[in-house]
Amino acid sequence: MMSKDVDVAMISSILTAEKVGLYKMAKSIVQSMWRAIDPFYLAIMPEVQKLWSRGEDAALRAFLKKTSLRLFALSVALVCVGGAGVFLFLERVLGAGYAELPPLIWLMSGWVIVCGPLVWGHPLAVAINRPELAVFGSLLGSALGLTAFFLLTPTLGLVGAALAWVLTLLVNFGAIAGLAAFAASRMRGPPSERAARLADARGSDA
């Protein structure tokens, strides 16, 4: 819900039209950064499913770690380029009335850096046949985000709304990745049991 305009509708009754406009502009710019990362969700899903179905847990962990590191580097680069571009050009073009926009974008783009490396959470949940974990993470993030909006926006204004939006997405992605990883480890059992099952599977294939 918070990636759409539910948050905008809520703050419209609290902040002025000018503040709401700045918030929507900052949100749109940050979401544009995320669009460069979002396709990796579909790109890594077949590989995650393949490694899980084969029982190659070590290879799966290595793949997720490598993917996370690369997406972290990409996220940092996107945020730095996008934030610097707004600071250098957008404010100067639009005028002093948009002076609050660059720091707002820096604040709201923090979730891209944190959540970019966690896009594997949903693919892993699907691979282990627990897609409901994504629904739970989304509901948890929305619930905490809505609460934060009502608590922070009246006192902190634009900053409070931005923090609430970031919290929504951090909880969403973090919960999905954490729950999927925990569920996967529980399903596989201790490392010794995983190794025994993998050896048995390879023996039967032979």
Side-chain angles (χ1 to χ4, degrees), residues 71-143:
L71 288 177
F72 175 75
L74 176 61
S75 301
V76 172
L78 288 170
V79 170
C80 289
V81 171
V86 171
F87 180 78
L88 293 175
F89 301 107
L90 193 58
E91 181 186 349
R92 296 181 181 181
V93 171
L94 297 178
Y98 292 85
E100 292 181 87
L101 189 59
L104 192 63
I105 290 175
W106 284 113
L107 175 60
M108 296 179 73
S109 61
W111 80 274
V112 176
I113 296 176
V114 177
C115 297
L118 299 178
V119 295
W120 52 263
H122 196 174
L124 180 60
V126 173
I128 65 176
N129 199 29
R130 295 291 303 277
E132 71 276 5
L133 297 178
V135 179
F136 177 79
S138 179
L139 291 175
L140 181 61
S142 295

Side-chain angles (χ1 to χ4, degrees), residues 26-199:
K27 178 180 173 181
S28 297
I29 292 173
V30 174
Q31 286 178 321
S32 297
M33 300 178 191
W34 179 256
R35 290 190 183 98
I37 299 175
D38 198 42
F40 286 93
Y41 158 77
L42 294 176
I44 68 174
M45 182 173 287
E47 186 68 15
V48 173
Q49 291 177 327
K50 181 184 70 174
L51 293 174
W52 174 262
S53 63
R54 291 180 177 179
E56 300 178 13
D57 296 348
L60 178 58
R61 286 193 297 269
F63 174 73
L64 294 181
K65 181 179 180 180
K66 179 175 67 176
T67 301
S68 295
L69 291 174
R70 290 178 175 178
L71 288 177
F72 175 75
L74 176 61
S75 301
V76 172
L78 288 170
V79 170
C80 289
V81 171
V86 171
F87 180 78
L88 293 175
F89 301 107
L90 193 58
E91 181 186 349
R92 296 181 181 181
V93 171
L94 297 178
Y98 292 85
E100 292 181 87
L101 189 59
L104 192 63
I105 290 175
W106 284 113
L107 175 60
M108 296 179 73
S109 61
W111 80 274
V112 176
I113 296 176
V114 177
C115 297
L118 299 178
V119 295
W120 52 263
H122 196 174
L124 180 60
V126 173
I128 65 176
N129 199 29
R130 295 291 303 277
E132 71 276 5
L133 297 178
V135 179
F136 177 79
S138 179
L139 291 175
L140 181 61
S142 295
L144 293 179
L146 288 170
T147 303
F149 263 103
F150 287 118
L151 293 177
L152 298 180
T153 305
T155 55
L156 300 178
L158 270 178
V159 173
L163 288 174
W165 188 68
V166 170
L167 176 64
T168 301
L169 295 164
L170 290 179
V171 172
N172 186 352
F173 280 82
I176 295 172
L179 290 172
F182 177 75
S185 65
R186 291 291 298 272
M187 293 172 68
R188 289 300 199 202
S192 58
E193 294 182 7
R194 294 199 298 266
R197 284 197 298 268
L198 182 58

